[in-house]
Amino acid sequence: GVSLVMAIIPAASDTYGSTTGWCWISVQEHPELGNAWRFVLFYVPLWLVAGYNLKVFWFVRSELRAMFTRGADVTDGVQTLAHMVFYPLVLVICFVFGTINRIQSAFAPPIYEIVILHALFASSQGSLNAIVYATTPTFWKTLRPTKRVELKNGQEVEGGKVEQGGSVAVD
């Protein structure tokens, strides 16, 4: 519902159009209104969500620290938290130049270098998130599950490694 309303508002005010390489809220015909919609409908919610993500990260971090001081085993939680911090970081990296570009271009003609950084980083969010996900242990466990096969009557299993107790790890 919210996304639909946020998409209808610029359409109803005739502010959609070409914006330096892609179609979005334009500032060509209605500069003040277009800039207002850009910030109200995208940049302000974006940074509110980024702030909320940071708040959740610090909350989880403090909870894990409290659990650790009470003697709980939080090794998995710490590993997860170590990767969790990169997702909001990717969000900030990808949109900080876009935000700077939009603020700057609301008051003066765009600066070429900032526009290039905006285009480069805004379009790399999916790739950067994929890289972060690919560095998690869960990703690699899912990609290459290990099967355990029991040896019976001295039979050998190809491609496996015999471990203590007669089991074989097979890729």
Side-chain angles (χ1 to χ4, degrees):
V2 174
S3 297
L4 179 63
V5 170
M6 292 174 84
I8 289 174
I9 290 172
S13 60
D14 193 33
T15 52
Y16 277 126
S18 178
T19 59
T20 320
W22 47 78
C23 181
W24 196 43
I25 302 170
S26 177
V27 293
Q28 299 300 323
E29 293 183 32
H30 312 286
E32 294 84 14
L33 187 58
N35 278 320
W37 287 148
R38 285 178 176 180
F39 286 99
V40 169
L41 299 175
F42 184 73
Y43 288 105
V44 170
L46 170 78
W47 291 109
L48 288 173
V49 167
Y52 176 76
N53 282 343
L54 185 62
K55 182 180 176 180
V56 168
F57 172 78
W58 284 111
F59 173 77
V60 171
R61 182 180 177 269
S62 65
E63 288 296 313
L64 282 174
R65 183 173 282 174
M67 290 170 61
F68 179 73
T69 57
R70 290 191 302 263
D73 181 21
V74 292
T75 307
D76 290 339
V78 170
Q79 258 188 339
T80 301
L81 187 65
H83 282 89
M84 240 175 65
V85 72
F86 290 109
Y87 290 105
L89 185 61
V90 163
L91 183 81
V92 169
I93 289 169
C94 288
F95 288 103
V96 72
F97 294 109
T99 304
I100 292 168
N101 179 40
R102 296 304 182 194
I103 291 170
Q104 186 277 325
S105 63
F107 300 104
I111 297 171
Y112 179 75
E113 292 81 4
I114 295 176
V115 172
I116 295 299
L117 290 170
H118 176 189
L120 177 70
F121 283 99
S123 61
S124 64
Q125 183 180 12
S127 300
L128 292 176
N129 279 332
I131 290 168
V132 170
Y133 181 68
T135 63
T136 62
T138 304
F139 172 78
W140 292 104
K141 286 178 187 173
T142 304
L143 193 61
R144 267 184 96 194
T146 301
K147 299 177 187 174
R148 297 262 175 221
V149 179
E150 292 294 322
L151 290 177
K152 293 185 181 180
N153 302 328
Q155 296 173 340
E156 293 184 29
V157 177
E158 285 188 39
K161 176 181 166 187
V162 178
E163 295 179 348
Q164 190 176 16
S167 66
V168 176
V170 178
D171 291 348

